[in-house]
Amino acid sequence: MSELFEEPARTPEPQGPSRRSRALLWTAGILAVGFVALSTFASLWTERMWFQSVSYGEVWGTMLGTRVLLFIVFGAVMAGAIALNAALAYRWRPVFRSTSPEQANLDRYREAIVPARRWLVIGLSVFIGLFAGSSAVGEWRNYLLWRHAKDFGETDPFFHHDLGFYIFQLPWLHYLVDFVMAVTAVSLVVATIVHYLFGGIQLQSRRDRFSPAAQGQLSVLVGLFVLAKAADYWLGRYDLLNHAGNRFTGLNFTADHAILPARNILTWIAVICAVLFFVNVWRRGWMLPGLGLGLLVLSAVLIGMIWPGIVQQFQVNPSEPDKEAPYIQKNIEATRKAYGIDGVVIEDYGTGTSPLLVPQSPADPTKDAANKRKFAQAAVDNPGIRLVDPKLVQPLFEQKQQVRGYYSVADVLDVDRYDIPDGSGQTPERDLVLGVRELNQDGLPASSKNWANLHTVYTHGYGVIAAYGNQRPADNKEQISDTDNDDPAWAETSLPPRGQLTDLTPDGYEGRIYFGEQSPDYSIVGKAPSGSDIELDLPGNGDADAQTTTTYDGAAGVDISGIFHKVLFAMRYGDANLILSGRVHENSKILYHRNPRDMVEKVAPWLTVDEDPFPAVVDGRIVWVLDGFTTTDRYPLSQQTSFEEMTTDALAQNTTFQTLPTDEINYMRNAVKATVDAYDGTVKLYAWDESDPILQAWAEAFPGTVLPKSEIPEGVLAHMRYPEDLFKVQRYQLATYHVTQADEFYERSDQWDVPVDPDQSSTLQPPYRLSVETPSGDNVPTFSLTSVYVPYKRQNLAAFLSVDGAADQDGYGTLRVLRLQSSDTTPGPSQVANKFRADENIQNVLLPFTRTNAKAEYGNLLTLPVSGGLLYVQPLYVKQESGSATYPVLRFVLVAQGNSTGIGATLEEAVYDLLGITPDDSGDTSSPPSTDNGGSGGGGGGDTSEPPSGSLTQQVRTLLTQASADYEAADAALKAGDLQEYADRTAAAEAKVAKALELLNGDQGQQG
């Protein structure tokens, strides 16, 4: 029994962490915080140094200053409001509290909170303030646009405000109202909790559940919230001009006659409700404020939601075309203006077939033949028919002009124009397909991929590679079909570069490319004080002594000689070699942020930059030329559409840097054209659309960053062109908004579609850069961006679209539409592509290649106007399917007009084959062009048993047709068991195939 009187054994309390453990934890925590702080500082400071190195330090300063200002102001307001309301609620707590189970339960919480109340309030306020400040930082664009707002000089037709109000002021006002609502809502929650904890609110009390102080404070906060909601309703009226309806964006009948009046009513109900809450500070009781709040909620449901649905269902839907017509008309006008398509020139084009090819009279075949020859001459002499596909020839450019495995060109080459001497004293403008030989470190051997090589030796690319787009050499005369080495008609080749572009400048051009689309993340440049050049410049032809080295001495680049900068960049890239390597010395600079598109996006963060920068040789240097757009989703009444949806096509690289908070836009201008020097990284922004108010606002926000249009150098202007992304957006909108009448728009009776790409049915056909005829009458092709339309959910051709694309010429930016008659059945791109692939004679021409482990690759299917008709042209490439160094080779040209097709080794042969004539005959039309029921023109009507004659393509086709017939006869003989006949027929077929190949190779040798 003695154990009953003994004290129970005490369970030892768990030992807390020792002093050493706590010290270690504190040390680890301090080190972690220090590491994060240093990393953040390193990122910010190295960004600042980059901006300064390209002379745009003010941009970094303005952006940082604006963000810090917004963070501090809005974070402080939120934190201050929370702390103030918490302090007031605590200060006004009741001195005496009634005893109740509720208060007894709260006592223990009060005992725990009171000693640490100051730290709790401060911590909570700062925590929520940080979130509020971070949210405000994302509003820097809206803030700067509001601060530098400009007028458009036009007013909307409903509220009669300048359009600038909706674009510059309304978004910022919305944010301020939303912020006030957030501050009052959070403050209301905090004040309610404090009052409840300290007895200001006693839910179990039968009377006086709210103390006078609690009632007054909460009434004010709720009143402020409801008053802010009234402001939100009022501003929401203006949002109706960008209301997303089922058929169009903007104010519609229901919004005008139901939603707009509802928001007016709700605004005043909210104001009255707010007044009732304010009065409740002095009047005890919640009945009137509660009734007001209930009325507001009920009204929001009845007149804000149910009533618009009733109007839409019973008033609009039964007669929608009539009700919506005036609103649709305003949407049409606003959309055409916002996207810059209101000045489009639409011309009725008759049919897709040239009038020269329409028979004049059965009794006058001579005139018809003359017309055919006239059409053929117009097509053959057109210098803008580009046969070199910028995408398909990329492997050929690399294989033929790569020089070393560590050089590469872009996946899709660019098309530009140059004045090239033709040897006769003339310098006609020629379309070139070109790319730059950029550094691609992935092509280095694994043994060479060490830090020194990757960051100090292999630092830049070198030179331009270019070929004539129409496959004609410098004299611009006879087209090259396929030379002895499968080369296109080169305009610029080799290392060091040589060719027509080199000859444009007396001493050649600076070919080193330190800033390009494939440049390394960073490179260390600069010669050691007592060292030599170490950057590889020109590789030798297998001879190490023949290779040359160089040292970068351009303007861009950040000094990295001091230990402080070395540490910062080592932190940025996580690379200790920047501190330890002897190749980082007192003369070293570091090059980073080297992609031209990224560079422009950084120095002009308010721009959306075109996805396709292109290189140009100007005044002895390679410069990247880029286009920048100002966009918004707030232009009143204009149609909102996804930017990505409008610009995605078969060639789109999907690398658009989104500078807006939303992908939806309804306004776009080519506000800026920019250049980036490929050698020294100099970035220049030039105002292009100087009348754009959004550009004016940003230019004022970032003064000195955008140069006036008049300062664009003449040589650069000669290479500036119409931007692809803008054209794609306008093309997309014109498919619907070429219609200018509301009734026709509603019926969609003339709706067009951008056709899908014939080779990638899931994406749209891309636009193509060509030199095409314009209605000017001077017969001088204009460098243009082109595309076509098909009718909605149909595949025949509806219209041809082009835009004058040479920035240095009159008429630049003029959109032109050649609209075919609605009854016309000219085939569209997909139909023509199917026709080419199904044409028996075309497939027979390809037979020798398919039998030798090769496949056909169809190039870009071009559509262009020729002599009053629309001509389809498609280069046909052949590529060996086996081997590691295969590339497509241009072998044939396919052409089509109407239902006729033609094929030839050159454009000339293909056009003559289309017309059923030869260059040296009198135009005998007894052999008609091919149609849906026949083969190709020249080869489809002769007797295939006779010896082949005519053009080379006709001879090859005839031989292959005969060979195909022999193969079929051989198969029949084999099935019949006649082995001798099988052997004879097979031998005859093989002999004819060999003869066809001999003819092709013979022509190849002559061309070479």
Side-chain angles (χ1 to χ4, degrees), residues 8 31 71 111 139 174 189 204 208 225 261 287 404 442 455 473 586 691 787 825 835 846 919 934 952 965 973 1004:
L31 289 176
F71 180 84
E111 291 173 359
E139 296 295 320
H174 266 303
V189 171
Q204 294 182 356
D208 296 333
F225 181 87
M287 179 176 293
R404 291 291 186 272
D442 291 338
H455 297 291
E586 61 187 81
S691 63
S787 186
T825 58
K835 190 183 298 291
L846 295 176
L952 171 66
Q1004 175 178 312

Side-chain angles (χ1 to χ4, degrees), residues 819-968:
R819 179 168 53 191
L820 277 64
Q821 296 177 358
S822 58
S823 59
D824 187 83
T825 58
T826 298
S830 294
Q831 293 175 327
V832 171
N834 291 335
K835 190 183 298 291
F836 284 152
R837 286 158 176 76
D839 189 284
E840 180 180 356
N841 290 298
I842 291 176
Q843 298 309 311
N844 283 338
V845 172
L846 295 176
L847 184 62
F849 301 99
T850 58
R851 289 184 176 274
T852 56
N853 196 32
K855 68 173 182 178
E857 293 192 358
Y858 293 83
N860 37 215
L861 181 56
L862 309 177
T863 311
L864 63 164
V866 176
S867 296
L870 291 172
L871 180 69
Y872 285 100
V873 179
Q874 185 171 38
L876 181 56
Y877 292 78
V878 175
K879 179 181 179 181
Q880 291 294 323
E881 292 188 297
S882 61
S884 59
T886 62
Y887 49 82
V889 177
L890 178 61
R891 290 296 187 187
F892 300 102
V893 180
L894 309 178
V895 295
Q897 187 174 71
N899 291 319
S900 302
T901 62
I903 182 173
T906 64
L907 175 63
E908 182 180 22
E909 287 189 17
V911 172
Y912 281 119
D913 185 55
L914 168 75
L915 302 177
I917 62 176
T918 59
D920 54 353
D921 67 15
S922 60
D924 180 15
T925 60
S926 60
S927 178
S930 65
T931 66
D932 288 336
N933 299 319
S936 290
D943 181 3
T944 59
S945 64
E946 297 179 0
S949 61
S951 69
L952 171 66
T953 304
Q954 291 172 324
Q955 297 177 49
V956 171
R957 181 187 298 112
T958 301
L959 286 168
L960 294 176
T961 303
Q962 295 173 359
S964 179
D966 286 336
Y967 277 121
E968 292 177 0

Side-chain angles (χ1 to χ4, degrees), residues 248 324-334 739-743:
F248 60 94
E324 300 288 23
Y327 304 99
I328 291 175
Q329 191 64 46
K330 290 179 174 60
N331 168 262
I332 292 173
E333 295 168 358
V739 174
T740 57
Q741 299 301 317
D743 54 349

Side-chain angles (χ1 to χ4, degrees), residues 361-441:
S361 169
D364 191 8
T366 303
K367 187 172 184 179
D368 291 343
N371 285 339
K372 287 184 177 183
R373 296 181 65 80
K374 184 177 179 181
F375 174 85
Q377 196 65 40
V380 172
D381 290 345
N382 189 328
I385 299 181
R386 178 172 47 75
L387 303 179
V388 178
D389 186 316
K391 182 176 182 180
L392 284 185
V393 300
Q394 190 268 355
L396 185 147
F397 269 53
E398 283 201 345
Q399 293 287 342
K400 292 289 187 175
Q401 294 298 325
Q402 187 178 21
V403 182
R404 291 291 186 272
Y406 47 80
Y407 289 131
S408 180
V409 296
D411 293 336
V412 180
L413 301 173
D414 292 290
V415 180
D416 199 4
R417 64 200 191 281
Y418 288 84
D419 294 331
I420 304 295
D422 62 5
S424 65
Q426 303 295 321
T427 55
E429 185 175 272
R430 301 288 302 276
D431 292 356
L432 300 185
V433 176
L434 74 165
V436 292
R437 192 182 287 104
E438 291 202 58
L439 179 67
N440 178 15
Q441 294 182 340

Side-chain angles (χ1 to χ4, degrees), residues 247-263:
R247 291 185 174 271
F248 60 94
T249 299
L251 199 73
N252 56 20
F253 184 91
T254 300
D256 192 14
H257 292 81
I259 301 178
L260 179 58
R263 291 187 179 176

Side-chain angles (χ1 to χ4, degrees), residues 38-66:
L38 181 59
S39 298
T40 303
F41 175 77
S43 177
L44 286 174
W45 201 253
T46 53
E47 284 294 293
R48 173 182 176 272
M49 290 190 289
W50 181 85
F51 274 92
Q52 290 179 332
S53 73
V54 292
S55 302
Y56 285 89
E58 297 84 357
V59 173
W60 186 88
T62 299
M63 289 183 59
L64 181 65
T66 301

Side-chain angles (χ1 to χ4, degrees), residues 57 59 88 159 346 412 419 435 445 460 585 620 630 784 912 964 990:
V59 173
L88 291 176
F159 299 106
I346 300 180
V412 180
D419 294 331
H460 61 279
H585 45 74
T630 51
S784 307
Y912 281 119
S964 179
E990 292 175 348

